[in-house]
RNA sequence: GCGGUUGUAGCUCAGUUGGUUAGAGCGCUGGUUUGUGGUACCAGAUGUCGUGGGUUCGAGUCCCAUCUACCGCCCCA
C-alpha cells in the first residue's frame, strides 16, 4: 500500500464517481453558456511566462505559478488563468472575428499554492467572456450567465449572492481621498481587499503603513460602509437596470469591499459568494478593456468571469444539489445463464444495441444472483435473462430492478418492451 | 513560507494509566435459496497500527524525526 507511487500534491484523481460530478457541472455550464449563444473554445495549457508577467497579479506569477524551463531553455508556465490566453488569441484575429465575440471554455488550471478547503493545485475552471463591445449589457449578460448556471443546478438567491463594484468608481473615490499615483491606488485596493480579514485596529495600522493619514483611512472606511455608493457610478446604475430586465436582479448586491485581485480589471467587478460566508469565492470576474492591447493587439474591450470547480462543488454538495447518478451508462444488463448460453447472451446484447439501447453484458457465467446484484449496484435499470426455457420459447425475461417488475417477451419485441419499461415509472 | 490537527481492515472509526492472540459497523465471500438483486438470519476472509529511530522487560498507545492528508495564516486569477 504505502509503496504505491503518490499523485502530485494538490491534484485530484477523477475516479468515475468524481468524474460524473465534474461532467454534471460541465453540462450545466455548457447549457448556461449556450443558452446565451456562446461558443466553446480552448487554449493551450502551457504558455510563455511573458504572457502573464505584465498583467496578472504579481504574486500569482512570481510565486503561485508552475514555471519551468523547457528543453530549449524557454521559460514556460502551466496556465494559472485563462484570460491572458484569450487576450492573446483575440489579438491575433481581432480584425476577422465578428463582434461581439461570445466564447466559453472549461479546462484545467494550475497554481502552486498550499492545498486547503476549496483550493487545490490543479483545478478546473469555467470561463465565459464577451469581447468587442463596451456596452454594459455585456457586463450584465456575463453576470446573468453565471447566475443562470447556479439556478440550473438548483440554487436560489437566498443561498448565494453576487457582489458587484466598479473599479472606475473606486479609482475616482480613492483619488478624491488624495491618493492619485498608480502604485498608491493599487496598494489601497489591496487594503480594501483585506478589510474583512483583519480587525479594525490592525487595518488602521496597515493603512498607516502605506503612508495614509488617519483622515484618509477614516474616509476610506466611510466609503466602504456606504451601501449607496453605486448610485454615483452611472455604469453600476445601468448594470443593475439591465439585471432587472433580465430577471436576476435579486441575486446581486452592491459591495464596496469587492475589488478583485487581478490588475487588469478596469470597470465592473463581481464576485459570487455563499451568503453564509463559509466558503471562498464561487466565481470572480469583471471588465478588462485594455488587456488585448496589452498583449500587443488592437484595442478590444472585454468582460468575463471564471468559476472554479472546487468551491461550487463543495457548496452544491453541502446543499444536497448533486444528484445521485448511476455508475454504469448502460440501460440494460444482459446476464449469462451458464457457459453454454454465452453465445445467446452475446447475440441478444448485439440486437439490443442495434435497437438503440446501451448494454452491458456480464462477462462470466456466474450465478444469476451475483449478476443481478452487480447490475443493481452499478445502477443499470433493467436486467435480462436468456436461459434454456427462454431460448426454447424464443423469448427473453426482462426485469426492472427498481420494482422487480418482470415479464417474458418475444426476443423480437425485447427492444420495445425495454424502452417501455424505461419510459414508465417504477 | 508560518501555526495546528491527522494517519489502525477496502471504507468509517473504536482501542482504558503502556501488558500477552488488535476490535466494531459497513462492504466483501459463501450459505439459508442450483432461473433472479435491494431486507433478514448464519458462517468466513482481510491489517508491515503511515514510515524511520528512541525509551521500556514490554509500544497501536510515550518521545524525536519524517512523509501524507486536512484546517487556519499568507496569497488569491
Amino acid at each position: 500500500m504505502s509503496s504505491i507511487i503518490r499523485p502530485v500534491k494538490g491534484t485530484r484523481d477523477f475516479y468515475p464517481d468524481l468524474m460524473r460530478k465534474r461532467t454534471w457541472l460541465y453540462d450545466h455550464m455548457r447549457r448556461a453558456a449556450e443558452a446565451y449563444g456562446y461558443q466553446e473554445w480552448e487554449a493551450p495549457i502551457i504558455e510563455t511566462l511573458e504572457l502573464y508577467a505584465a498583467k496578472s497579479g504579481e504574486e500569482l506569477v512570481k510565486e503561485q505559478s508552475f514555471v519551468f524551463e523547457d528543453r530549449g531553455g524557454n521559460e514556460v508556465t502551466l496556465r494559472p488563468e485563462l484570460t491572458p490566453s484569450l487576450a492573446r488569441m483575440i489579438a491575433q484575429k481581432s480584425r476577422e472575428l465578428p463582434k461581439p465575440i461570445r466564447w466559453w471554455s472549461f479546462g484545467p488550471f494550475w497554481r502552486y499554492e498550499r492545498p486547503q478547503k476549496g483550493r487545490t493545485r490543479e483545478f478546473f475552471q469555467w470561463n465565459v467572456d464577451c469581447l468587442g463591445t463596451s456596452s454594459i449589457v455585456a457586463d450584465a449578460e456575463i453576470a446573468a450567465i453565471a447566475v443562470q448556471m447556479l439556478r440550473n443546478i438548483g440554487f436560489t438567491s437566498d443561498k448565494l449572492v453576487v457582489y458587484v463594484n466598479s473599479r472606475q468608481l473606486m479609482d475616482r473615490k480613492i483619488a478624491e481621498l488624495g491618493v492619485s499615483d498608480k502604485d498608491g491606488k493599487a496598494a489601497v485596493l489591496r487594503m480594501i481587499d483585506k478589510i474583512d480579514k483583519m480587525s479594525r485596529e490592525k487595518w488602521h495600522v496597515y493603512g498607516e503603513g502605506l503612508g495614509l493619514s488617519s483622515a484618509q483611512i477614516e474616509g476610506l472606511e466611510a466609503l466602504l460602509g456606504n451601501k449607496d455608493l453605486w448610485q454615483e457610478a452611472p455604469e453600476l446604475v445601468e448594470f443593475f437596470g439591465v439585471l432587472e430586465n433580465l430577471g436576476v436582479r435579486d441575486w446581486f448586491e452592491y459591495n464596496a469591499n469587492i475589488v478583485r485581485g487581478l490588475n487588469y480589471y478596469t470597470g465592473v467587478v463581481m464576485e459570487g459568494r455563499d451568503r453564509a460566508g463559509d466558503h471562498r469565492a464561487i466565481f470572480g470576474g469583471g471588465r478588462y478593456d485594455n488587456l488585448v492591447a496589452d498583449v500587443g493587439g488592437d484595442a478590444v474591450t472585454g468582460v468575463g468571469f471564471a468559476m472554479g470547480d472546487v468551491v461550487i462543488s463543495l457548496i452544491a454538495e453541502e446543499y444536497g444539489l448533486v444528484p445521485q447518478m448511476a455508475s454504469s451508462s448502460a440501460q440494460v444488463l444482459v446476464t449469462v445463464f451458464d457457459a453454454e448460453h454465452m453465445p445467446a447472451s452475446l447475440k441478444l446484447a448485439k440486437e439490443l444495441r442495434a435497437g438503440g439501447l446501451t448494454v452491458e453484458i456480464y462477462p462470466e457465467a456466474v450465478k444469476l444472483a451475483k449478476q443481478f446484484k452487480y447490475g443493481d449496484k452499478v445502477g443499470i435499470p433493467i436486467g435480462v435473462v436468456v436461459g434454456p426455457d427462454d431460448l426454447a420459447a424464443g423469448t427473453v425475461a426482462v426485469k426492472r430492478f427498481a420494482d422487480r417488475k418482470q415479464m417474458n417477451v418475444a426476443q423480437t419485441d425485447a427492444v420495445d418492451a425495454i424502452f417501455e419499461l424505461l419510459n414508465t415509472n417504477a
Side-chain angles (χ1 to χ4, degrees):
Chain A
M1 272 301 283
S2 56
S3 63
I4 297 173
I5 295 170
R6 293 181 179 286
V8 172
K9 190 188 191 78
T11 60
R12 286 166 294 166
D13 290 335
F14 286 89
Y15 287 86
D17 280 349
L18 189 53
M19 190 64 199
R20 268 197 298 285
K21 291 178 182 173
R22 194 176 103 193
T23 302
W24 172 79
L25 274 182
Y26 174 80
D27 288 343
H28 283 291
M29 289 167 172
R30 165 188 288 277
R31 271 211 310 172
E34 289 185 345
Y36 285 75
Y38 283 62
Q39 304 173 53
E40 188 173 12
W41 68 288
E42 179 60 295
I45 60 172
I46 54 173
E47 292 275 9
T48 59
L49 179 61
E50 187 190 4
L51 178 67
Y52 306 99
K55 278 291 175 176
S56 302
E58 226 175 87
E59 174 97 15
L60 169 59
V61 178
K62 283 186 183 161
E63 293 171 35
Q64 296 185 339
S65 291
F66 281 86
V67 180
F68 53 92
E69 256 187 34
D70 67 15
R71 288 176 188 272
N74 305 302
E75 273 198 309
V76 294
T77 177
L78 292 176
R79 60 185 190 185
E81 58 156 334
L82 188 64
T83 315
S85 299
L86 172 65
R88 183 177 65 67
M89 285 171 61
I90 296 292
Q92 285 170 184
K93 297 205 174 198
S94 65
R95 303 207 177 161
E96 64 182 271
L97 293 167
K99 320 283 182 308
I101 298 160
R102 289 175 153 130
W103 289 2
W104 72 277
S105 183
F106 181 79
F109 295 85
W110 292 266
R111 292 178 200 165
Y112 196 82
E113 341 174 70
R114 180 82 58 131
Q116 283 173 40
K117 190 178 184 185
R119 197 169 68 179
T120 56
R121 285 185 173 180
E122 181 189 52
F123 57 97
F124 287 75
Q125 209 175 52
W126 179 40
N127 281 261
V128 182
D129 293 273
C130 182
L131 298 98
T133 171
S134 304
S135 168
I136 201 77
V137 172
D139 303 57
E141 174 175 290
I142 283 292
I145 292 171
V147 164
Q148 180 76 53
M149 184 273 176
L150 298 172
R151 271 180 156 173
N152 286 350
I153 64 177
F155 277 111
T156 49
S157 60
D158 60 326
K159 304 284 192 307
L160 307 182
V161 60
V162 184
Y163 295 122
V164 179
N165 198 0
S166 161
R167 278 282 179 94
Q168 291 151 276
L169 171 65
M170 296 315 283
D171 224 50
R172 204 162 68 235
K173 299 311 268 186
I174 292 168
E176 281 173 16
L177 287 171
V179 180
S180 50
D181 64 296
K182 206 174 159 221
D183 290 347
K185 280 179 177 170
V188 172
L189 287 180
R190 276 199 297 280
M191 181 176 169
I192 292 172
D193 201 42
K194 288 178 193 301
I195 192 165
D196 288 332
K197 293 167 186 165
M198 41 178 90
S199 68
R200 184 158 179 267
E201 290 72 27
K202 272 193 167 175
W203 192 71
H204 274 248
V205 172
Y206 182 91
E208 284 161 17
L210 294 178
L212 298 180
S213 68
S214 48
Q216 282 175 316
I217 295 171
E218 277 161 31
L220 191 57
E221 214 171 8
L223 206 61
L224 299 183
N226 185 352
K227 297 275 179 211
D228 298 321
L229 198 62
W230 61 277
Q231 288 169 356
E232 295 180 34
E235 70 273 17
L236 288 178
V237 173
E238 215 185 320
F239 180 79
F240 285 125
V242 177
L243 292 176
E244 190 81 52
N245 287 319
L246 288 174
V248 289
R249 178 65 182 85
D250 54 324
W251 285 73
F252 294 83
E253 278 180 22
Y254 175 74
N255 187 336
N257 298 352
I258 302 300
V259 292
R260 303 301 298 163
L262 282 174
N263 292 341
Y264 52 64
Y265 287 132
T266 55
V268 169
V269 288
M270 60 189 97
E271 185 172 295
R273 286 263 172 194
D274 62 310
R275 284 191 189 269
D278 295 334
H279 297 272
R280 296 164 191 282
I282 298 166
F283 71 91
R287 178 163 279 280
Y288 47 89
D289 281 346
N290 304 326
L291 190 58
V292 177
D294 284 337
V295 301
D298 293 344
V300 181
T301 60
V303 58
F305 72 85
M307 180 186 293
D309 69 311
V310 183
V311 174
I312 188 63
S313 297
L314 276 174
I315 301 178
E317 293 276 9
E318 187 178 309
Y319 284 100
L321 297 176
V322 184
Q324 283 297 316
M325 293 170 276
S327 308
S328 173
S329 60
Q331 295 164 303
V332 185
L333 175 71
V334 173
T335 61
V336 180
F337 190 80
D338 57 26
E340 278 171 45
H341 289 78
M342 179 63 90
S345 289
L346 288 167
K347 279 181 200 159
L348 176 61
K350 180 203 72 180
E351 277 158 27
L352 297 181
R353 289 192 190 106
L357 289 161
T358 56
V359 179
E360 268 196 59
I361 187 160
Y362 203 90
E364 294 168 38
V366 297
K367 60 184 208 176
L368 285 173
K370 193 172 176 183
Q371 301 185 45
F372 271 69
K373 193 172 179 182
Y374 166 79
D376 189 44
K377 194 163 198 173
V378 299
I380 300 174
I382 306 278
V384 302
V385 181
V386 252
D389 300 347
D390 310 288
L391 212 52
T395 62
V396 295
V398 177
K399 179 169 189 171
R400 179 162 62 189
F401 289 126
D403 59 351
R404 312 188 126 186
K405 179 174 178 167
Q406 179 166 335
M407 48 184 157
N408 291 305
V409 299
Q411 266 210 42
T412 47
D413 297 335
V415 170
D416 289 342
I418 290 168
F419 274 120
E420 175 70 25
L421 275 178
L422 287 171
N423 292 331
T424 55
N425 290 327

